Amino acid sequence: LERQAVAEMRGFSPQAVSSAMLGFAKVGSAPGKELLEALEAHSAEQIKAFKPQEVSNVMWSYATLGAAPGGALVGAVRWHAEERSRGYSAQNVSNLLWAFAKLKEDPGEAALKALEE
């Protein structure tokens, strides 16, 4: 199943990525390395299409699973938080900042400032 998901990753919507990551996190089982890398790369490449809840769910899932996202995804999430902060609900902000803290990642001053507003 994971091999098929990797092969079909380009067709995954942001909601599909978010739902997949949430599913793994809720059952407490990380996807295999190849699928996790594909989900991460796809998320980073498609971050502009993600809604704030999808971004916060993906990062919450990484933190819950104890899986460290790569620099490309962390950078893309920082960008999203800076540029799309007005769309973030209080719950999205809370989940995202918790994930950054749990993962020992710095959200960056610009993202923090944007999310404060």
Side-chain angles (χ1 to χ4, degrees):
L1 183 61
E2 287 193 18
R3 200 171 309 141
Q4 183 67 30
V6 170
E8 301 290 329
M9 188 59 56
R10 288 237 178 261
F12 276 40
S13 68
Q15 183 179 6
V17 171
S18 174
S19 294
M21 289 298 294
L22 276 173
F24 283 111
K26 287 185 178 188
V27 299
S29 178
K33 182 181 180 199
E34 187 179 4
L35 179 56
L36 190 60
E37 288 174 354
L39 287 163
E40 180 179 324
H42 186 67
S43 297
E45 290 169 8
Q46 299 297 317
I47 200 72
K48 289 181 181 179
F50 277 63
K51 295 176 184 168
Q53 182 174 354
E54 295 160 345
V55 172
S56 68
N57 286 348
V58 166
M59 291 300 285
W60 179 90
S61 298
Y62 270 96
T64 298
L65 291 167
L73 180 56
V74 172
V77 169
R78 284 185 189 123
W79 173 87
H80 197 279
E82 292 168 25
E83 297 298 319
R84 308 269 170 89
S85 62
R86 292 182 190 260
Y88 279 73
S89 69
Q91 185 70 53
N92 299 151
V93 172
S94 175
N95 288 348
L96 183 60
L97 293 179
W98 176 84
F100 272 114
K102 177 94 169 147
L103 294 165
K104 295 181 173 51
E105 290 284 350
D106 181 3
E109 191 172 323
L112 285 174
K113 186 172 180 128
L115 291 169
E116 281 179 5
E117 297 173 1

